[in-house]
Amino acid sequence: MQLAAVNGLLVLIPAAVFLGLRARAGELSGPFATVQAVELCAGAVNMVLLGRNLAAGLAMRARAPRRA
């Protein structure tokens, strides 16, 4: 989960700010598209990591002894 948090803090948030400022200024050039592609990839990585974390949590729950 630390990787998902670092990914969000160091990639997704700055990318969102950059893209928002560029879009507001109407500067939709090469760097905009590059940062947008990087943000898309980072978001996909986060989704995979969160999905794996969910699967691991469900597996842990299935192995836990049931209480009466």
Side-chain angles (χ1 to χ4, degrees):
M1 281 310 288
Q2 291 90 1
L3 183 58
V6 168
N7 189 13
L9 288 174
L10 297 180
V11 178
L12 294 175
I13 291 175
V17 170
F18 174 83
L19 292 172
L21 292 173
R22 285 287 179 114
R24 184 173 295 156
E27 299 174 12
L28 308 177
S29 58
F32 182 89
T34 302
V35 172
Q36 194 172 30
V38 168
E39 185 185 33
L40 236 128
C41 291
V45 167
N46 258 11
M47 289 181 69
V48 168
L49 290 172
L50 292 174
R52 290 181 66 186
N53 190 42
L54 174 68
L58 290 175
M60 286 174 46
R61 181 177 170 204
R63 287 190 303 252
R66 302 220 179 238
R67 294 186 185 196

